[in-house]
Amino acid sequence: MAVGAHENRVVIYALKSMEQIRKEVQRQNGLDAKNFMPIHEEQFTEVDGAILKMEFLHPSRGDEHHVILLLVVSKGQRTLLVRFEWDCRAGLSLFERKPSQVLANSERLPLLLIPLTYGTSFALVCEHQITVYKDILTGNARGQTCQLEHYEPPEEPRSSKRLPIWTQWARPMRPTKRREPDIDNIYLCREDGVVRYIDIKETSHPMISSNYSAGILKANLSSAFATLDLGDESNDVLIAAGELGDGGMWYLKPRQPLEPVGTIRNWSPLRDITTAQANGPTSNLARTDNQVWRKAKRLFACSGRGPRHGAITEIRMGTEAVKLGPTIELGELADNGILDLWAMPDRSNIGIYLMIARPTETELILLPSSIDQDPQAASEVEELNLNERTIAAGSTAEGFLVQVTPSSINAIAQEHGILPLAWHPEEASITAASFLTIPSRTTVLLIVLRRRGDFYLHHGHFGSQGGRIIFEALGEPVRLPSEASSVALHWVENSIIAFVGTLAATLQTYTANAGSGLSPYFEYSFDDPFSICDSLTVLMTKIQAVACEEVEDGQLVVCGLRNGTVRTLWFDGGNNGGSNGGERNIFGTGGFPLLLCESLIFGSTAVKVMADTTRSSRAFAVCGQTVCTLEYLGGASPTNPAIINKLWLTDPNSQAFQQGPLTCVAQASSNIPQGYSKFAAGSLFYLTGSSLVLADVSSSPNPEMVPRRLPLIGTPTTVFYSERLGKLIVMYNTTAVHYPGTLLRRGIAVRHRAPQPAIAFVEPDAEPIRLDQDEEDGLNVLDTSCVLPGEKFLGLMEWFPTDGTKQYHMLVVHTATGQEGSQIAIGRLLFFSPVLNPVGEVTLKQKIDLDHKAKICAVANYGESSLVYGCGNDIFFRVLDLEHKKFKQPMKLTLRSPAVHISVQGLKIHVSTESHGHHILSVGEDNLVPRWADRTSRTSAYHLIAPEQSLIITTDLECRIAGLWQPRQPQLDRTTPLIFEAFLPRPITKLCRVRRQTRLFQVNQLERQISSPPSPIDGKNENENGDVAWEEKYLPRESMLGTSEDGTVYQLSLVDEASWRLLAFIQNMAMREPQICPYPNPRLRDRDLEPSMARKQDMHIDGDILIRFLERGSRTLLIKMLAVRGPRTRMLLDEMLVENRTEDRCRRLRALATEIFKDDVPNYEETGERVLRWLRSLLMPAI
C-alpha cells in the first residue's frame, strides 16, 4: 500500500498476509482495536515535486512478484514519470528508484492515470487526448496518442466557457467467457455525465482499437463512478453518485441506449433551509388530518447547482414506497365509488386479480404484468357473485379464489377439472369475514352471520372433494353479545384465536382447537363508547423476559378504531385462566390475556390497519390521506413503543411526484402458491381516484431519508415559506448567454455570459409542479431591467412594515456588484411588492432601492417599520417613513469584521461576524449601542436565539457549535460567557427551530398494575383529550435542525441539567463498550463515569453513540455496561465518591433517573425500562 502526500513524500507499507492476520485475530478471540497492527514493514521516500497521480502497474505474465509503483510528478515547468520497483518476496529492503521520464507539454496536467491489465502498460487521460504507454521497463516508455474529441456537446452549455473534463474511469466487471484476450475495456466518464467506451490492445496498431460513446448519464459526476458485477453475463452495469444532484445505476446493453434502473439520492450542496407548517394555507398542506404529523413542520432546502441539478428539496423522514411501472388508469372500472380493494394471485401467470368492492356490486379486474397491456374486466368469471358488494376476498393455500358477499361464499379454482363453490347461509346474511392460512395445513374462514336480529360467529375451512371445492364448517355457530364491526383470526400453539370487534366498543376473544368449535375466552372493553374497532390485525414479535434471558414469541393485537385511534394490545396466548386468576406470564402481569400496550391518536376519521405480509412484526395504518407503518420490534418488553414511519410514495421517473387523493390501499400476499404468478407479490396497491399505483415498500424498520425534489433551472440560494401567499419564495441564480445579433441592455457585448438572478414562487404541492413556464426564465417573476450588470443577489427576506393601521407586504433583496475592495464595488437593498392575482399567480413591483459602497451582507427587520443590515464592516439601522415612502437618516456602528447573520430578539440586535464572533447591540436615541460581545474570535456562520434559556447558539466555519449565555444585565467585561461547546465533523451553516414529533397518547396497563399512570401536565404535549405520553413530560418541546453544505442534517436538543447528567452517565459507560465504540478516544474512554461540567467541551452528548446503544441491543447492553469491570473510576453516590462497582453503578443510574422522573419510577426493576423508553422518545427524528 502506498500513501502519497501532496508533494515531496511517499510512504510505502508492506502489510501482513491475510493468513497471518486471521491467526492473530483468532489468538486474541476477536479483533483487539488497541493492539491490532496489520503493517509488517514500511518505507519512506522523498520525491522532489508535487505528486499529481499514483498507481501500481500490473506486472508482466510470469513476473507476479515484481512490484511497480508509478508516480506522475510536477516540478517547475515539467511533468515527470517517476518509477519505483522491488520484489515483494524480499521486502522493502530492495526498494529501488528508476530513472524518470519527462512527459510532453500536452500531457503536463493529466486528469487520469489508468494501469492496464496486460503487460506494464498504462494510459494517461488529458483534457483533449488519451495516450497509451508501453515498454516502461526497458527505458523510456513509448506512447500512442488518440484524440478524445468532444463528439457530444456539453450538457450544460451555459455553465462554463470551457469544455467539461474527464473525471473518472472504470473497468467493466465481466465473466471470464466475455473477456477478450489481451484487450482492456475502459469506461471514461465526463463531469457532465457523458460516458465513452474504449478498447485498448497493446499488440495492435493503433493500440486504441475502438472509441465510441456509451451514452449520457443524467447526473453530474466526479470521482464516484464504477461498474458492478450483478451476475449478468451479457450486460454491463454502471453506477455513479452525483456531485451536484442525484446519481443512479444504469444497465448498458450491447447496441442499446443506457437504461436507468435506480437512483442514488443526493441533496447536496445544501445552502439554505426553511420550515413550513403542515397545516398551511395551500391545498395539500392543509389536507393533513393525521394528528401525529399535524403539528410537525415540513423542511425545504436549497440543493444542487446548475440548470439541470438545482432544486428545492423537501427533506422527509420515513419509509419509502417506490412506484413500480407506470400509473394504471382504470377509467370507468373505478366509477361509482369504491369501498375496498383486494389483490389475489393468477394461476395463468398473466398478472394479478384485483377485486374492487362498490356499494352494490363488485368488479373483478385482471391486471397484466406486462406494462404494454391494459387492465381488463374479468366479468367472464360467472362463478363469482359480482352483483353484490364484496365483504372480504382472498386466496387459499390450495390457490382457490374466495369471495365473501352478504348472501354467499364463492370460490373458484384456477385450473380445469375442479368445480366452483357457492355456499349460502340458511336464513342469514354475512356481515364480516376474515381469512387465516395455517402453515402447511389449510385456510380457515371466519364469518359473522346475522339471523333474525342476532349475530353469530361461525368458522370453517376449505378443501376439495370429488372434484369440487367444499367449505366444511367447524363446530356450531356461537352467539355474539352485539353486532360485529371487524374480525380477525390468529394461529398460536395449535389453537385458533378469533378476535371480534363489536359496536358496543368491546373486543371479544374466542378460542378453538383444531377441528373443534369456538368457545368464549375473554372480553376487553375500550374506555370510550365511540372506540369501535373497525379493523384489526395480529402481529408477531420477539419478547425478552425481564427476569431472565429467554426469548419468546409475543402476539400484539393492533386495533384501528372509528374515532381515529390505534390501540395495541398485548395478548397472552398461554393464559387459560380468563380474567380471574390463571398462571402469571413472564412479565408478571397476572391473569389478563389482553392488556393495553400503546394508544395513538392518528386523526378524526376511522383508521384502517392491515398486517404487512412480508414482515410479521409490521402493520400498515391508513387514516385519511396518510399511510404509515407500525413496527413492533419487541425487545425487553411488550411495552416498547412502536416505530412509526410515514409512508412516502415516490416515482423514480418523477422527482417531484406527489401522492394524489387516496381512495384505498391493499397489499398483495407475499406467500404465493407454487405455479402462480409472482407478479406484484408483497407490493402495495394505491388507488387514487381512477389511477392505480403499484409500490414496493422498503423493509427497513428505521426511518430513512426520502427526499422530494422540485427542480429549478438554476442554482437556488435562498428559500422561505410565505404564510401570506401560501407559497415557497425561492431566489436562484442562472447564467444568461447573449447570442450574436441580440440587442443588449446597458451596452453588454454580444455572446456574453452573465449571471442572472431570479425569484420564483413555488406551490410545493401543485399538480403538476409548474417549473417550465418559459424555457429561458422558468418560474422567474423578476424583471431583469432592475438588475445591474454583474450584480449578484445575496439574500431575500419577507418584510411586513406597518404604520399602526395598515400593514404592507414587501420582499427585501440585498445584493453585491463588483469585486470586494474595488472602486466599483457596490451593494444595494431592493424592495419589491408581491401582488397575488385571482388565479394564484404572483407578480413583483419594484418600489425603492438603497445604494451603498460595499456589499450588503445580512438584513433583519426591527420593530414595526425598521431594518437592520450589515454593509461591509458597518451596521446600519434605518426607519421607513410610510407616509412619505422614504427612509429616514440611518444610525451606523462600525465593527471589526463584516456581519454574516443578523437577527432581532425583542429590543436586542444579534450580529454574527465574519472573524470576531457574536455581538449584541441595542438601539439608542440616535445611535447603535454595543451591549455584549463574544469572548472568543470566531469565524461565525449562523446563530439561533433560545430566549427561554437565555442562550445564543452560534456556529462557525471551524466545525464548532457553542452556547453563549446572555446575562440580564451587562457584566463588567460586557461579554457573553461560554456555557458549552461541541466539535462536529462538519460546520453548520444554517439552524432552524422545529417542534418535536410526539407520541400524543399512551397508557400502559402493564404499568398500571404497578402504579397509577402520572397525571398529564397542562399545556405540554397533550392531545385533545388531555392525555399525554408518560415520557413526553420529561422531554424538550422543541429541537433544532442544523445543516451543512455537504447535505448533512444534524438534530440538536437542549436538555435540563438532570437529563444531561443521566445522558452523560449512559454515554460514559457506552464509550467503554467495544460493541458501541470500537475505536474510542483513550482520554474519553478512561474518564470517570460521573458526569462533570468542568470542561465546556464535555457538555456535548453525542447522540450517535446513544442511537448505536439503542440499535445494537439496548437492554442487553445496559445490563452488560452496568456489570462490566472497567477502569478504576469513581462516582458520586449519596454525596460521597464511591468506587466503580456493579452495585454502585446500578444505584447511581437509579438516582440519576429519580432526579428526572421523581415519583414516576415506582421500583428498582422498572428503572432501566423507563430510562430506555425515555431515551427512545428523546432521539426520535424531528422531521
Side-chain angles (χ1 to χ4, degrees):
M1 182 174 67
V3 180
H6 289 292
E7 57 183 0
N8 299 337
R9 172 167 288 196
V10 175
V11 185
I12 301 172
Y13 299 98
L15 305 180
K16 298 176 183 179
S17 66
M18 288 301 298
E19 182 180 359
Q20 185 177 358
I21 293 177
R22 193 176 295 110
K23 289 181 179 179
E24 291 181 1
V25 172
Q26 292 176 351
R27 190 182 311 119
Q28 298 172 1
N29 294 323
L31 183 62
D32 186 357
K34 187 176 182 179
N35 300 319
F36 179 65
M37 175 55 66
I39 299 174
H40 173 68
E41 191 178 1
E42 63 183 3
Q43 176 73 42
F44 292 82
T45 184
E46 298 293 331
V47 178
D48 189 11
I51 302 172
L52 303 180
K53 304 291 176 183
M54 181 173 65
E55 288 284 357
F56 285 102
L57 300 184
H58 289 266
S60 303
R61 294 177 181 175
D63 194 18
E64 286 76 12
H65 300 290
H66 189 187
V67 182
I68 308 162
L69 178 64
L70 181 66
L71 281 73
V72 180
V73 180
S74 176
K75 180 182 179 184
Q77 300 297 318
R78 301 188 304 170
T79 300
L80 309 174
L81 291 177
V82 180
R83 188 173 87 255
F84 299 92
E85 299 181 25
W86 69 95
D87 192 320
C88 65
R89 294 172 296 185
L92 297 178
S93 58
L94 300 181
F95 179 84
E96 182 180 3
R97 175 170 179 169
K98 298 297 182 181
S100 302
Q101 177 180 342
V102 180
L103 293 175
N105 288 336
S106 61
E107 301 168 354
R108 282 177 53 191
L109 293 175
L111 301 173
L112 301 171
L113 170 60
I114 305 174
L116 304 181
T117 56
Y118 299 99
T120 55
S121 304
F122 60 93
L124 287 177
V125 179
C126 301
E127 189 172 355
H128 299 286
Q129 68 183 35
I130 177 172
T131 304
V132 181
Y133 286 91
K134 66 177 181 178
D135 300 332
I136 192 173
L137 299 183
T138 60
N140 283 348
R142 296 178 292 122
Q144 289 186 10
T145 299
C146 176
Q147 295 299 317
L148 283 176
E149 300 292 345
H150 287 265
Y151 300 103
E152 297 86 7
E155 283 290 288
E156 300 175 9
R158 61 173 62 179
S159 297
S160 174
K161 294 180 180 179
R162 303 188 62 181
L163 292 173
I165 63 173
W166 306 98
T167 58
Q168 189 56 286
W169 66 278
R171 183 175 286 113
M173 305 179 68
R174 296 172 175 170
T176 305
K177 63 181 180 180
R178 282 189 62 202
R179 298 177 187 170
E180 301 182 47
D182 301 329
I183 293 183
D184 274 286
N185 313 114
I186 301 295
Y187 285 108
L188 280 183
C189 76
R190 209 167 65 179
E191 61 181 337
D192 61 345
V194 172
V195 179
R196 294 198 70 81
Y197 179 76
I198 299 175
D199 283 338
I200 302 176
K201 188 173 184 180
E202 184 182 5
T203 58
S204 66
H205 186 80
M207 286 190 284
I208 298 181
S209 57
S210 61
N211 175 13
Y212 59 87
S213 173
I216 300 177
L217 310 180
K218 298 300 181 181
N220 191 286
L221 306 181
S222 182
S223 58
F225 172 77
T227 62
L228 294 179
D229 181 13
L230 300 181
D232 196 326
E233 297 186 356
S234 59
N235 306 320
D236 290 337
V237 182
L238 306 181
I239 184 170
E243 183 185 25
L244 309 178
D246 290 345
M249 187 168 66
W250 296 263
Y251 271 129
L252 182 58
K253 301 179 181 179
R255 295 171 294 280
Q256 296 290 331
L258 286 168
E259 177 186 348
V261 293
T263 300
I264 301 175
R265 291 190 175 89
N266 176 24
W267 49 90
S268 66
L270 197 154
R271 295 177 184 82
D272 192 19
I273 58 173
T274 187
T275 57
Q277 196 70 32
N279 57 350
T282 59
S283 57
N284 279 4
L285 287 174
R287 278 192 331 217
T288 303
D289 55 359
N290 190 313
Q291 293 191 23
V292 175
W293 288 278
R294 180 177 291 177
K295 296 182 180 181
K297 290 188 177 182
R298 298 171 65 178
L299 185 66
F300 295 91
C302 294
S303 63
R305 184 166 62 237
R308 294 184 181 272
H309 306 289
I312 297 300
T313 299
E314 182 180 2
I315 298 179
R316 310 178 299 190
M317 291 288 290
T319 299
E320 183 178 14
V322 182
K323 183 170 174 255
L324 302 175
T327 301
I328 302 168
E329 294 296 337
L330 299 180
E332 296 180 355
L333 299 177
D335 291 344
N336 301 326
I338 294 177
L339 300 179
D340 214 336
L341 176 71
W342 296 272
M344 296 170 288
D346 172 34
R347 176 78 175 182
S348 62
N349 282 318
I350 295 178
I352 193 168
Y353 280 110
L354 296 179
M355 188 168 288
I356 301 175
R358 296 198 183 99
T360 59
E361 60 181 353
T362 298
E363 192 77 47
L364 185 64
I365 298 174
L366 179 60
L367 184 64
S369 58
S370 178
I371 61 175
D372 56 354
Q373 298 183 23
D374 296 328
Q376 53 189 350
S379 57
E380 67 276 2
V381 184
E382 300 177 354
E383 294 83 358
L384 298 179
N385 185 3
L386 303 181
N387 296 320
E388 278 192 289
R389 173 178 63 92
T390 297
I391 296 175
S395 60
T396 68
E398 299 84 0
F400 305 151
L401 293 186
V402 181
Q403 176 204 23
V404 182
T405 68
S407 63
S408 63
I409 300 175
N410 308 284
I412 60 172
Q414 299 185 57
E415 57 186 51
H416 298 290
I418 301 180
L419 297 177
L421 166 71
W423 185 87
H424 299 273
E426 296 181 3
E427 298 180 356
S429 61
I430 302 174
T431 61
S434 177
F435 293 89
L436 171 66
T437 298
I438 302 175
S440 304
R441 297 197 183 186
T442 185
T443 298
V444 179
L445 175 64
L446 176 70
I447 59 175
V448 176
L449 298 175
R450 179 171 185 168
R451 182 179 294 138
R452 301 185 186 92
D454 294 328
F455 296 90
Y456 298 87
L457 194 63
H458 192 39
H459 77 301
H461 67 90
F462 293 94
S464 58
Q465 183 177 354
R468 177 185 294 273
I469 303 175
I470 62 171
F471 176 69
E472 183 179 356
L474 299 174
E476 295 296 327
V478 178
R479 185 177 177 179
L480 294 174
S482 60
E483 182 178 353
S485 56
S486 60
V487 292
L489 284 171
H490 184 59
W491 174 260
V492 57
E493 297 181 359
N494 295 321
S495 297
I496 295 176
I497 310 295
F499 299 96
V500 182
T502 70
L503 295 183
T506 63
L507 182 65
Q508 306 290 333
T509 308
Y510 297 84
T511 63
N513 295 325
S516 63
L518 295 169
S519 58
Y521 180 51
F522 185 76
E523 177 182 297
Y524 179 88
S525 296
F526 296 105
D527 52 2
D528 181 3
F530 298 101
S531 299
I532 298 172
C533 182
D534 271 350
S535 62
L536 61 94
T537 187
V538 183
L539 304 181
M540 300 291 294
T541 185
K542 297 292 184 181
I543 304 296
Q544 187 175 20
V546 173
C548 58
E549 295 297 327
E550 65 175 296
V551 177
E552 294 189 2
D553 290 331
Q555 294 85 34
L556 295 172
V557 184
V558 183
C559 306
L561 305 187
R562 190 170 295 180
N563 60 2
T565 303
V566 171
R567 300 285 179 93
T568 304
L569 307 174
W570 163 256
F571 174 66
D572 182 9
N575 188 337
N576 297 318
S579 60
N580 300 313
E583 61 183 82
R584 295 173 61 86
N585 57 32
I586 60 175
F587 304 102
T589 57
F592 295 93
L594 281 175
L595 297 169
L596 179 62
C597 292
E598 186 174 39
S599 181
L600 293 167
I601 293 183
F602 273 68
S604 56
T605 59
V607 183
K608 177 184 177 181
V609 296
M610 56 183 184
D612 184 357
T613 62
T614 63
R615 296 176 64 88
S616 61
S617 60
R618 185 165 74 177
F620 298 104
V622 184
C623 182
Q625 301 300 316
T626 302
V627 183
C628 64
T629 61
L630 305 176
E631 183 91 16
Y632 294 90
L633 298 180
S637 171
T639 67
N640 286 344
I643 300 175
I644 307 174
N645 291 323
K646 191 170 182 179
L647 205 59
W648 299 105
L649 185 61
T650 62
D651 186 352
N653 300 318
S654 176
Q655 298 176 329
F657 178 81
Q658 184 81 334
Q659 174 189 314
L662 187 63
T663 303
C664 59
V665 179
Q667 186 184 30
S669 174
S670 59
N671 301 317
I672 306 299
Q674 188 70 25
Y676 284 70
S677 172
K678 304 293 183 180
F679 170 64
S683 299
L684 276 187
F685 289 81
Y686 281 78
L687 187 59
T688 60
S690 62
S691 301
L692 186 67
V693 176
L694 275 73
D696 183 27
V697 182
S698 171
S699 60
S700 174
N702 297 317
E704 299 174 333
M705 199 74 82
V706 189
R708 172 175 170 255
R709 291 170 61 88
L710 312 178
L712 297 169
I713 57 170
T715 302
T717 57
T718 304
V719 61
F720 59 87
Y721 182 73
S722 173
E723 295 285 349
R724 173 169 293 190
L725 299 176
K727 299 175 184 290
L728 293 173
I729 304 179
V730 185
M731 186 179 72
Y732 62 99
N733 294 318
T734 62
T735 303
V737 181
H738 303 284
Y739 296 96
T742 304
L743 182 60
L744 301 178
R745 187 182 296 109
R746 300 180 186 271
I748 302 177
V750 295
R751 299 184 63 87
H752 183 75
R753 299 172 63 259
Q756 179 173 302
I759 296 176
F761 295 86
V762 180
E763 294 186 16
D765 295 309
E767 289 293 344
I769 300 295
R770 299 171 58 193
L771 297 172
D772 298 313
Q773 291 180 344
D774 184 271
E775 188 173 337
E776 291 294 327
D777 298 328
L779 288 174
N780 183 28
V781 298
L782 181 67
D783 186 359
T784 56
S785 63
C786 66
V787 182
L788 299 178
E791 188 172 28
K792 297 180 180 178
F793 283 16
L794 303 181
L796 178 67
M797 183 191 73
E798 199 172 23
W799 188 30
F800 298 94
T802 179
D803 57 5
T805 58
K806 183 178 180 181
Q807 188 182 70
Y808 299 87
H809 185 197
M810 303 186 75
L811 297 182
V812 184
V813 178
H814 57 279
T815 74
T817 305
Q819 297 294 327
E820 188 71 22
S822 65
Q823 295 182 355
I824 61 172
I826 63 173
R828 296 198 301 164
L829 280 178
L830 304 178
F831 296 84
F832 299 93
S833 175
V835 179
L836 182 66
N837 61 23
V839 297
E841 295 179 349
V842 181
T843 57
L844 291 180
K845 293 183 179 180
Q846 186 178 4
K847 294 298 183 179
I848 55 177
D849 62 280
L850 297 176
D851 295 343
H852 288 271
K853 294 183 179 180
K855 73 174 183 179
I856 310 296
C857 310
V859 185
N861 64 292
Y862 183 97
E864 292 185 344
S865 58
S866 303
L867 283 181
V868 184
Y869 56 92
C871 180
N873 288 6
D874 299 328
I875 302 297
F876 287 87
F877 179 86
R878 306 195 74 158
V879 179
L880 177 62
D881 186 348
L882 291 172
E883 181 180 357
H884 298 90
K885 298 183 180 180
K886 64 179 183 179
F887 281 95
K888 299 179 180 180
Q889 288 298 318
M891 303 179 190
K892 187 175 78 170
L893 176 68
T894 301
L895 302 178
R896 291 185 291 174
S897 58
V900 295
H901 180 223
I902 300 176
S903 68
V904 176
Q905 179 68 37
L907 299 178
K908 299 182 179 65
I909 302 172
H910 295 262
V911 182
S912 291
T913 61
E914 194 174 85
S915 305
H916 295 88
H918 192 80
H919 297 262
I920 303 177
L921 316 176
S922 64
V923 181
E925 292 184 1
D926 56 357
N927 63 344
L928 294 174
V929 181
R931 294 296 184 183
W932 293 273
D934 196 347
R935 292 179 179 177
T936 305
S937 294
R938 307 177 192 272
T939 56
S940 301
Y942 203 81
H943 69 258
L944 191 66
I945 312 301
E948 297 86 357
Q949 296 88 0
S950 297
L951 283 178
I952 307 162
I953 313 300
T954 68
T955 68
D956 59 35
L957 300 181
E958 298 175 357
C959 305
R960 290 182 299 182
I961 179 169
L964 307 177
W965 179 54
Q966 177 185 324
R968 295 183 180 272
Q969 298 296 330
Q971 307 296 314
L972 292 178
D973 57 357
R974 292 184 176 274
T975 60
T976 50
L978 178 67
I979 302 300
F980 62 83
E981 190 173 40
F983 291 87
L984 303 176
R986 300 165 188 85
I988 292 179
T989 56
K990 186 69 183 287
L991 288 168
C992 69
R993 186 180 286 108
V994 295
R995 185 180 179 90
R996 289 184 57 258
Q997 291 191 32
T998 60
R999 311 184 72 84
L1000 294 172
F1001 170 64
Q1002 182 169 330
V1003 179
N1004 198 297
Q1005 287 186 349
L1006 291 176
E1007 295 169 356
R1008 182 178 291 175
Q1009 295 184 42
I1010 302 172
S1011 64
S1012 299
S1015 59
I1017 297 179
D1018 292 338
K1020 187 171 183 179
N1021 293 340
E1022 295 182 16
N1023 63 15
E1024 297 173 354
N1025 298 327
D1027 297 311
V1028 63
W1030 169 83
E1031 62 269 26
E1032 297 295 339
K1033 299 193 302 178
Y1034 311 104
L1035 298 176
R1037 303 185 197 180
E1038 292 185 329
S1039 295
M1040 293 174 287
L1041 293 180
T1043 59
S1044 299
E1045 280 218 11
D1046 67 348
T1048 303
V1049 180
Y1050 295 94
Q1051 180 171 326
L1052 312 168
S1053 297
L1054 296 174
V1055 297
D1056 57 26
E1057 181 178 346
S1059 301
W1060 178 86
R1061 290 188 179 279
L1062 177 58
L1063 293 172
F1065 184 75
I1066 297 174
Q1067 177 184 254
N1068 293 342
M1069 291 193 297
M1071 294 184 69
R1072 302 181 181 186
E1073 173 55 46
Q1075 191 174 345
I1076 303 173
C1077 299
Y1079 308 105
N1081 186 323
R1083 181 188 66 83
L1084 300 177
R1085 178 189 59 195
D1086 296 335
R1087 66 185 179 187
D1088 287 349
L1089 293 181
E1090 183 62 34
S1092 172
M1093 296 184 177
R1095 286 169 45 89
K1096 305 303 181 185
Q1097 293 84 353
D1098 293 343
M1099 299 293 291
H1100 172 219
I1101 303 297
D1102 192 339
D1104 292 333
I1105 293 178
L1106 300 180
I1107 288 176
R1108 291 199 299 269
F1109 161 65
L1110 293 177
E1111 289 179 348
R1112 299 178 184 180
S1114 54
R1115 181 181 182 276
T1116 305
L1117 286 175
L1118 181 60
I1119 295 174
K1120 182 179 179 181
M1121 291 188 303
L1122 291 172
V1124 70
R1125 289 181 175 271
R1128 293 184 60 84
T1129 57
R1130 300 166 69 83
M1131 296 176 301
L1132 185 65
L1133 192 62
D1134 298 331
E1135 299 183 358
M1136 298 178 58
L1137 287 174
V1138 298
E1139 293 296 332
N1140 182 9
R1141 298 175 298 181
T1142 299
E1143 55 271 23
D1144 295 333
R1145 285 193 291 272
C1146 293
R1147 291 172 58 197
R1148 186 56 178 152
L1149 177 67
R1150 174 169 171 76
L1152 292 173
T1154 304
E1155 291 180 14
I1156 302 174
F1157 309 137
K1158 302 298 185 281
D1159 298 331
D1160 288 343
V1161 181
N1163 54 45
Y1164 185 85
E1165 291 75 13
E1166 285 291 308
T1167 302
E1169 295 299 327
R1170 293 279 175 125
V1171 169
L1172 293 178
R1173 283 182 52 188
W1174 170 77
L1175 189 58
R1176 288 189 188 96
S1177 298
L1178 179 64
L1179 297 176
M1180 282 182 63
I1183 57 175

